[in-house]
Amino acid sequence: MVKIKTNINGIEYAKEVEDNQLLVDFLREELGLTGTHVGCDTSQCGACVVHIDGNSVKSCTTLASQVNGRELTTIEGLAKDGNLHPIQKSFQNNHALQCGFCTPGLVMSSVDLLDKNHNPSEEEIREWFEGHICRCTGYKNIIKAVQEAIA
Ligand code: FES
Ligand code: FES
């Protein structure tokens, strides 16, 4: 077991975790943060993306013990005072989801992209989403949602 201290969505946690516990399992099973999804468990689909110190990371291939001393944001931490984050709003406005399974990861990745590049081209957005799979939408409206958020 490993002792960790971490701040998640503005809340401090001190926990003991198994050495081999995956971050996504820690978030979902220990903390009940089930907005982070598991689609593949093999680092392909991007449904499990969270932010660690502001960078998007796949939590299915990160150990819980690796977040000791780090600051995390999950999809539950994006809305503030009952108001959706502008990127969540633009996903909603543009029907950028159908079943919604991939959506938390895509939203977290989009926030990271626009933090790092305020005006990405369509090609840059598509490249950024290389590590994501959406089986429903065909990606068109997801790209539109990011473009609306840029505007
Ligand atoms: S569950 Fe992590 S990339 Fe698919
Ligand atoms: S909306 Fe269903 S997988 Fe993307």
Side-chain angles (χ1 to χ4, degrees):
M1 299 292 280
V2 186
K3 286 185 179 171
I4 60 166
K5 283 188 182 174
T6 177
N7 182 305
I8 303 177
N9 301 332
I11 300 169
E12 297 289 341
Y13 294 91
K15 294 275 185 188
E16 223 174 328
V17 298
E18 298 280 354
D19 306 38
N20 61 352
Q21 184 171 34
L22 295 174
L23 178 58
V24 70
D25 293 336
F26 174 68
L27 293 172
R28 290 177 57 86
E29 290 163 23
E30 304 276 326
L31 305 184
L33 296 170
T34 53
T36 302
H37 292 164
V38 185
C40 65
D41 229 352
T42 50
S43 201
Q44 295 174 69
C45 75
C48 64
V49 168
V50 299
H51 293 176
I52 300 180
D53 295 335
N55 296 305
S56 44
V57 170
K58 289 179 173 172
S59 60
C60 75
T61 38
T62 305
L63 294 172
S65 58
Q66 290 176 289
V67 302
N68 186 34
R70 319 286 287 275
E71 209 163 288
L72 271 70
T73 307
T74 68
I75 191 73
E76 289 88 350
L78 279 193
K80 296 283 179 245
D81 304 321
N83 297 312
L84 292 178
H85 185 283
I87 292 180
Q88 290 175 304
K89 202 79 196 137
S90 61
F91 267 64
Q92 187 182 49
N93 293 343
N94 290 281
H95 299 288
L97 60 139
Q98 288 180 35
C99 78
F101 197 85
C102 66
T103 311
L106 279 162
V107 167
M108 296 308 287
S109 265
S110 302
V111 172
D112 188 20
L113 169 63
L114 297 192
D115 278 351
K116 293 182 164 76
N117 178 354
H118 296 321
N119 194 18
S121 64
E122 179 174 340
E123 199 184 335
E124 286 172 321
I125 299 168
R126 287 183 181 276
E127 266 176 29
W128 186 263
F129 287 149
E130 201 185 349
H132 289 267
I133 296 172
C134 173
R135 300 199 300 176
C136 306
T137 65
Y139 303 97
K140 199 174 167 203
N141 287 3
I142 293 169
I143 307 297
K144 266 172 64 185
V146 177
Q147 288 169 327
E148 181 187 287
I150 295 166

